[in-house]
């Protein structure tokens, strides 16, 4: 099979097509003939040498795929050869064939193409796990998301609104902010021109937000605390501006804040399988009937993975970037 490998850390140009043997599924896996694979920030971090694959994972980048089941291990009974699925994987997505845990495969929503379905797993697993399971967002509460025009952000906007929350986001341009509000966000703050702390204060009458999903970190952290309501929850899922910050503990105590965080890739399959079951039950019906949809900015052929990474690093995209196979 053709796959994209990383022989050395560096710029997008280190992503090179190569030939690899087609892998064989273990007892609990399926082999998927890949039609499309999503590009994600962890792929970029892996390419730079900053996010190595967990033990046992493929060194080929790619954390989400959609395609057709080609072969099945000994144990799975829910799937059969020829089924079309999308799947969350720990690596190997940038290839013509990829192994996936059968428990992390989900059906293609009605009237959705395989390319569209490849944009679902990473963002939807991440948002559900962190916003709804970990932060316990409830109807009537306010969710604040940094990076509203990203794949995570566009997913969080739609899921937040679908479950009757108010949603505020930040984005880096007026065009991105406008897209976010058209998608359903109640407010979008241009972080290059506005102070998001002051904007949130005005939007909430000084009360603050209930749940914050942050992928920025660094110097955003103390500013995030100023945006939070009493008993609010902050979930850190990435640190694009660095992992270190100076923390004032007093507002955490006075406002009874919960500060947490997570990564998904290295978690055990059973944990991710629970998320898959929740998504199938509570979110897939919304996708089936078009109430929410993945937002795709651009597609690139597999061999042009370097161009796809360059676009992601430019931050000019809105939504997901997809490789087609």
């Amino acid at each position: 099979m053709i796959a994209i490998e990383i022989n050395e850390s560096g710029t997008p140009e280190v992503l090179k097509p190569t030939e690899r043997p087609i892998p064989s599924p273990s007892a609990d896996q399926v082999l998927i003939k890949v039609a499309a694979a999503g590009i994600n920030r962890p792929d970029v971090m892996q390419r730079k040498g900053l996010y190595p694959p967990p033990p046992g994972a493929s060194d080929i980048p790619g954390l989400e795929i959609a395609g057709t089941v080609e072969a099945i291990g000994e144990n799975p009974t829910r799937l059969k050869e020829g089924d079309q699925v999308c799947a969350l994987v720990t690596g190997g997505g940038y290839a013509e064939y990829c192994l996936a845990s059968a428990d992390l495969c989900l059906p293609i929503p009605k009237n959705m193409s395989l390319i569209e379905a490849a944009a679902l797993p990473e963002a939807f697993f991440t948002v559900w796990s962190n916003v709804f399971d970990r932060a316990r967002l409830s109807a009537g509460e306010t969710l604040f998301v940094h990076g509203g025009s990203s794949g995570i952000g566009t997913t969080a906007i739609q899921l937040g609104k679908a479950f009757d929350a108010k949603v505020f986001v930040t984005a880096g341009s007026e065009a991105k902010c406008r897209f976010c509000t058209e998608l359903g966000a109640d407010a979008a703050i241009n972080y290059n021109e506005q102070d998001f702390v002051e904007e949130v204060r005005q939007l909430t009458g000084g009360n603050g937000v209930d749940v914050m999903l942050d992928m920025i970190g660094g110097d955003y952290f103390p500013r995030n605390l100023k945006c939070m309501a009493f008993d609010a929850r902050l979930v850190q899922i990435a640190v694009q501006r660095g992992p270190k910050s100076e923390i004032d503990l007093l507002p955490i105590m006075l406002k009874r804040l919960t500060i947490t965080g997570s990564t998904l890739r290295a978690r055990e399959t059973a944990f991710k399988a629970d998320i898959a079951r929740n998504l199938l039950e509570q979110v897939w019906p919304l996708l089936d009937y078009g109430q929410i949809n993945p937002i795709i900015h651009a597609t690139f052929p597999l061999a042009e993975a370097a161009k796809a990474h360059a676009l992601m690093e430019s931050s000019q995209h809105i939504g997901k970037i997809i490789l087609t196979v």
Side-chain angles (χ1 to χ4, degrees):
M1 70 178 185
I2 300 298
I4 303 298
E5 67 180 3
I6 306 169
N7 282 326
E8 59 180 337
S9 302
T11 62
E13 287 70 30
V14 303
L15 296 169
K16 300 290 187 182
T18 188
E19 287 193 3
R20 292 280 186 97
I22 296 174
S24 297
S26 66
D28 297 316
Q29 291 180 320
V30 296
L31 176 68
I32 296 173
K33 185 176 183 180
V34 178
I39 304 280
N40 292 282
R41 290 281 177 184
D43 306 342
V44 174
M45 300 298 287
Q46 179 178 334
R47 192 203 75 223
K48 292 180 175 180
L50 302 174
Y51 190 49
S58 171
D59 66 306
I60 298 168
L63 302 178
E64 59 185 345
I65 56 172
T68 304
V69 175
E70 188 85 358
I72 302 176
E74 299 172 10
N75 295 333
T77 58
R78 184 173 55 87
L79 297 171
K80 62 182 184 299
E81 291 180 13
D83 284 350
Q84 292 191 328
V85 297
C86 59
L88 185 73
V89 296
T90 55
Y94 294 13
E96 293 180 318
Y97 293 87
C98 182
L99 295 175
S101 166
D103 289 337
L104 303 185
C105 293
L106 289 163
I108 306 300
K110 295 176 183 177
N111 304 312
M112 189 173 289
S113 70
L114 289 170
I115 291 174
E116 292 171 309
L120 298 175
E122 177 70 13
F124 278 77
F125 273 74
T126 297
V127 171
W128 187 267
S129 176
N130 289 289
V131 173
F132 294 92
D133 288 342
R134 184 166 290 274
R136 308 179 310 283
L137 180 69
S138 300
E141 291 190 317
T142 301
L143 168 66
F144 186 25
V145 182
H146 285 302
S149 63
S150 66
I152 294 290
T154 54
T155 301
I157 290 170
Q158 294 185 83
L159 285 178
K161 297 306 296 179
F163 288 91
D164 299 320
K166 186 175 287 187
V167 182
F168 302 153
V169 301
T170 60
S173 71
E174 287 306 310
K176 288 183 175 182
C177 286
R178 185 166 57 251
F179 184 91
C180 290
T181 54
E182 290 172 354
L183 190 60
D186 295 277
I189 302 163
N190 184 340
Y191 60 77
N192 284 316
E193 298 182 0
Q194 298 169 288
D195 177 359
F196 69 79
V197 175
E198 177 58 24
E199 293 298 318
V200 167
R201 189 189 68 79
Q202 293 188 27
L203 287 165
T204 63
N207 292 324
V209 300
D210 301 295
V211 172
M212 179 170 287
L213 184 67
D214 183 38
M215 58 194 87
I216 310 300
D219 59 354
Y220 266 43
F221 188 85
R223 299 169 68 194
N224 288 341
L225 296 185
K226 295 178 181 179
C227 296
M228 298 175 72
F230 283 88
D231 297 303
R233 294 83 72 196
L234 183 153
V235 188
Q236 198 75 45
I237 59 169
V239 285
Q240 292 180 23
R241 290 175 72 125
K244 295 184 179 181
S245 180
E246 185 172 316
I247 301 173
D248 181 355
L249 297 174
L250 199 57
I252 297 175
M253 297 160 58
L254 294 175
K255 293 198 285 186
R256 304 181 298 274
L257 304 181
T258 298
I259 311 299
T260 184
S262 75
T263 60
L264 186 60
R265 187 180 188 183
R267 294 299 299 267
E268 62 277 11
T269 298
F271 173 83
K272 290 182 276 192
D274 283 338
I275 303 172
R277 284 189 287 270
N278 283 328
L279 288 173
L280 186 61
E281 178 183 334
Q282 301 192 60
V283 176
W284 249 237
L286 302 176
L287 291 162
D288 281 337
Y289 293 101
Q291 293 174 255
I292 57 177
N293 292 285
I295 306 300
I296 296 176
H297 181 87
T299 63
F300 292 85
L302 179 65
E304 296 182 6
K307 291 183 179 179
H309 272 228
L311 174 59
M312 172 158 280
E313 289 188 276
S314 77
S315 293
Q316 296 302 305
H317 62 293
I318 294 175
K320 298 286 293 189
I321 302 168
I322 303 293
L323 295 178
T324 58
V325 183

